[in-house]
Amino acid sequence: MIIVLAHDKGGVGKTTTALNLAEILKPDIIIDQDTHNNLVILNQLRDEKDQLNVLSNLNKSELINALSKSAQGQLILVDCGGFDSELNRIAIAASDMTIVPANDDINEVVGLKRFNKTLEQISNDMGEKITGHVMFTRVHPSRKKFTDVESFINNSDNLARLQTVIPTRKWHAMAALDGYGVTNHKKTKYSDAAREVTALATEIKTRLNIK
């Protein structure tokens, strides 16, 4: 099984989401494709006994080889960089689910429109429809409706919406300072943020039939 965090723009919460999902989904391999290698850096902050299996700076053949391990029953989580590239497209094309973190700003429609086009091109190359599952994140905790952006998603051929919302919470930064997601840090494991991330993981597992 391959789960990919992707978007053509940076700063939308891909790495934070990947770190938090890794705590719950326990992937066999995590691939960091961001040029800043943020997951690698965060992993180094963790206690040695808790460190994750993070691969980075892979070339094309190394990436394809790592992704192929999903056929052996391994769960692979990929954090793509906030840009369009051949390697990111390879990961998206191979994914069982592509998650697209996005905020609720109407300007986000511009970024999603561009990424929808990217997914359309990958779909045409693959000969099958690739869908990006948009997850609203880094939004105000009181925000419940996302009418403008959601309208665009509903009218896009290659985008759909995840129901779980991950609002801005101070707990994410607090846990990340030690390299952990909110569900695995002693100061944040009982926070609202931990409950929200758990709900996201549950929605993903349900959609992918992961036990």
Side-chain angles (χ1 to χ4, degrees):
M1 194 75 68
I2 301 172
I3 300 173
V4 171
L5 282 297
H7 198 323
D8 281 353
K9 60 184 290 190
V12 293
K14 294 185 296 297
T15 298
T16 300
T17 304
L19 178 62
N20 279 290
L21 287 177
E23 301 285 21
I24 301 175
L25 300 180
K26 309 295 184 186
D28 299 287
I29 300 172
I30 300 172
I31 301 174
D32 185 354
Q33 294 197 165
D34 195 312
T35 55
H36 299 292
N37 293 143
N38 287 332
L39 276 178
V40 172
I41 295 170
L42 289 169
N43 195 39
Q44 292 170 348
L45 299 175
R46 298 167 70 96
D47 290 341
E48 187 173 351
K49 63 181 177 60
D50 294 332
Q51 289 194 349
L52 306 165
N53 182 24
V54 181
L55 307 180
S56 63
N57 302 317
L58 302 184
N59 60 35
K60 181 177 178 179
S61 61
E62 290 170 338
L63 174 62
I64 292 172
N65 180 62
L67 294 173
S68 71
K69 297 184 184 301
S70 66
Q72 302 168 16
Q74 295 195 27
L75 176 60
I76 300 167
L77 183 65
V78 184
D79 178 19
C80 291
F83 48 84
D84 188 11
S85 73
E86 181 184 18
L87 295 185
N88 286 342
R89 289 189 177 215
I90 288 172
I92 292 168
S95 72
D96 294 281
M97 176 180 279
T98 294
I99 301 171
V100 188
N103 61 46
D104 59 339
D105 192 315
I106 187 58
N107 293 324
E108 180 63 31
V109 170
V110 176
L112 288 175
K113 183 175 182 180
R114 184 170 61 246
F115 193 62
N116 183 66
K117 186 66 175 180
T118 298
L119 293 173
E120 180 183 341
Q121 292 169 350
I122 296 172
S123 298
N124 290 338
D125 291 341
M126 293 292 296
E128 61 179 271
K129 185 176 180 179
I130 305 294
T131 299
H133 295 80
V134 178
M135 179 201 69
F136 290 116
T137 186
R138 296 189 173 181
V139 301
H140 193 280
S142 66
R143 188 73 182 269
K144 304 300 181 184
K145 295 184 179 181
F146 310 91
T147 306
D148 293 330
V149 182
E150 198 167 38
S151 176
F152 172 78
I153 293 170
N154 291 338
N155 288 287
S156 299
D157 292 334
N158 294 89
L159 295 174
R161 187 195 159 184
L162 288 176
Q163 293 306 304
T164 308
V165 177
I166 306 296
T168 299
R169 304 277 189 193
K170 64 180 181 180
W171 312 113
H172 291 289
M174 181 183 293
L177 282 172
D178 294 319
Y180 291 91
V182 290
T183 60
N184 197 26
H185 192 286
K186 62 183 180 181
K187 293 183 179 179
T188 64
K189 63 193 304 182
Y190 300 112
S191 65
D192 289 339
R195 287 190 287 273
E196 290 153 358
V197 168
T198 299
L200 173 63
T202 298
E203 181 177 2
I204 291 169
K205 289 193 287 186
T206 299
R207 287 173 178 260
L208 293 177
N209 196 28
I210 297 175
K211 296 182 179 180

